[in-house]
Amino acid sequence: MAQDTARQTPAAPATPARALLPLILPALAVGVGASLIFVGVSAAAEALQDVLWQNLPDALGVGRYSVLWMLIMLTATGVAVGLVVWKVPGHAGPDPATMSLDAPVLPPGVLPGLVLAAALMLAGGPSLGPENPIIAVNVGIAFWLGRRLLPRLPGGLWPALAEAATIGALFGTPVAAALVISEALAGRQVKGALWDNVFAPLVAAAAGALTTTLVAHPSFDLDLPAFGRPGWGDLLAALVISSTAALLGMCAVRAFPYVHAVFARLRHPMLALPVGGLVLGLLAAVGGHLTLFKGLEEVGEIAAHPDGWSAGEFATMTVVKLAALLVAASCGFRGGRIFPAVFVGAALGLCAHALVSGVHPAVGVATGVLGMLLAITRQGWVSLFTAAALVASPTILALLCIASLPAWLLVTGRPQMQLRDDGTPIR
């Protein structure tokens, strides 16, 4: 009966190749452009970070990551970003708590302020990543230029190309973009075959990833100790850690609208952002300098020495970084939540390794990141991909797929770490 039904279901009509070929050059152009914007903003932020956190404190004779300097710098970053949000045309875009990877098309006048706010945030130390603002900037530029240079192409093509290109550039591989696109298409009515729909975005993602690889040489592999054949103990550890990470992440998700409402009551970016910066400085004083910034370089540092900290220290970093992510995302800093969530999950996994020596560091890190990303992003494929990419071990894939199941049951159907314009959580 099932076979008869399958035979009666017509296959999606294929798109002729002549309809796809004209999309290649625009997709390549968007991919290269999106990557260069991402690399340029990142390089500028890193240069400013060196000045703020190395040159300036050294010149003043202050410890680079002393409590005093962290309090000063994070509060000053709140003031600087607050000025941009207050005074720059466009106010650096909409409330970042309402934004996700699926960015709206913003007017061109908003984009300079958003770039400036994101660069200041990345350099100043708040616990957010570049993904959301960079995607929004690339979507706005691609749409504005595309509609003017190639008005015959569908307007909805340009945001899709820009999102895919930026995700490819961020992760250094088009695979992440393909997974995001496929997951998005699963909930939509689309015409034609799947690969016809992802063809042009995948070209853009490949161009973005290759450009970033050639220019910036990114790497997500943490070079953890090699993981061999999984055993029953590894399976148990994977299930426990991923579920614990998902539950911990959901605590932050549940608290998100309430923390956001507290900062919203301050009613002005020159109050909310400096106060948020001060809170982040106090958190950094507890968690240490590794809980600052977007977290990708810091993940590499803790993973390079999985036995270098005690379970208590890893637990402190986990809680502080998650709290810092919650505050930074609530008070108005322009940034994304994926990269700091990776740090939180990795620190939790290494805490498990420190508590139980039989937990392999690769298993702890991968499953901790998996559960945390599932809770924070609600992107199943991206969570699996990121967790696997950090460990770069094919044998761990089966564990990750199994560990994702109980974690997903804990997060699905519940509020997301994204708010509507009225401040209510999205489910």
Side-chain angles (χ1 to χ4, degrees):
M1 185 67 179
Q3 292 178 351
D4 293 340
T5 303
R7 281 196 293 266
Q8 293 170 6
T9 302
T15 303
R18 65 177 178 273
L20 297 177
L21 286 173
L23 304 179
I24 293 177
L25 287 179
L28 289 173
V30 171
V32 173
S35 173
L36 292 177
I37 290 172
F38 162 62
V39 171
V41 172
S42 298
E46 288 173 6
L48 180 58
Q49 179 181 327
D50 290 341
V51 172
L52 296 178
W53 292 93
Q54 296 180 24
N55 301 345
L56 190 55
D58 289 350
L60 296 174
V62 180
R64 292 181 177 181
Y65 295 108
S66 64
V67 171
L68 175 62
W69 191 250
M70 290 191 292
L71 286 170
I72 291 173
M73 280 311 308
L74 285 158
T75 305
T77 300
V79 172
V81 176
L83 283 170
V84 173
V85 175
W86 180 27
K87 290 295 187 181
V88 173
H91 306 290
D95 184 346
T98 65
M99 297 183 67
S100 67
L101 294 180
D102 187 13
V105 178
L106 300 176
V110 176
L111 305 183
L114 181 56
V115 169
L116 180 57
L120 290 171
M121 182 279 301
L122 290 170
S127 294
L128 292 173
E131 59 273 19
N132 288 10
I134 296 297
I135 289 175
V137 168
N138 284 336
V139 165
I141 293 174
F143 183 82
W144 185 76
L145 288 176
R147 295 293 286 168
R148 280 155 181 77
L149 299 178
L150 295 170
R152 294 184 179 180
L153 292 179
L157 173 69
W158 303 108
L161 294 180
E163 287 179 14
T166 310
I167 293 171
L170 284 163
F171 288 92
T173 171
V175 175
L179 294 173
V180 171
I181 296 166
S182 300
E183 196 163 7
L185 290 177
R188 301 178 186 173
Q189 290 284 346
V190 294
K191 297 180 180 179
L194 172 64
W195 279 95
D196 290 335
N197 285 280
V198 304
F199 179 83
L202 195 55
V203 171
L210 185 59
T211 302
T212 302
T213 300
L214 293 173
V215 174
H217 313 290
S219 176
F220 278 80
D221 184 6
L222 296 179
D223 199 24
L224 288 162
F227 178 68
R229 180 180 298 175
W232 292 111
D234 297 314
L235 176 59
L236 178 60
L239 293 171
V240 171
I241 296 170
S242 66
S243 300
T244 302
L247 286 171
L248 184 61
M250 284 305 301
C251 290
V253 172
R254 289 286 187 178
F256 188 44
Y258 301 102
V259 177
H260 181 269
V262 170
F263 284 103
R265 289 192 186 98
L266 298 177
R267 296 183 179 277
H268 199 285
M270 286 303 294
L271 288 176
L273 282 156
V275 170
L278 176 61
V279 175
L280 291 175
L282 295 172
L283 287 170
V286 177
H289 73 278
L290 290 176
T291 59
L292 294 172
F293 306 107
K294 63 179 179 288
L296 195 57
E297 290 79 9
E298 291 73 21
V299 165
E301 187 170 341
I302 62 174
H305 307 283
D307 298 311
W309 289 269
S310 67
E313 289 171 323
F314 278 127
T316 300
M317 285 189 279
T318 299
V319 174
V320 168
K321 185 69 173 181
L322 187 59
L325 165 59
L326 179 61
V327 170
S330 300
C331 70
F333 284 109
R334 270 51 179 172
R337 301 178 276 275
I338 291 179
F339 291 113
V342 168
F343 180 95
V344 176
L348 178 64
L350 292 174
C351 176
H353 166 70
L355 283 172
V356 182
S357 60
V359 175
H360 195 283
V363 173
V365 167
T367 55
V369 168
L370 172 66
M372 186 58 60
L373 284 179
L374 285 174
I376 298 297
T377 70
R378 219 54 59 86
Q379 296 273 350
W381 285 121
V382 170
S383 302
L384 276 167
F385 167 79
T386 305
L390 292 172
V391 176
S393 172
T395 57
I396 208 169
L397 284 174
L399 281 180
L400 290 177
C401 289
I402 296 172
S404 70
L405 301 178
W408 183 254
L409 291 175
L410 291 170
V411 305
T412 186
R414 291 174 172 82
Q416 301 182 31
M417 202 170 189
Q418 183 183 352
L419 304 179
R420 298 185 179 88
D421 292 336
D422 61 0
T424 58
I426 296 174
R427 287 184 178 270

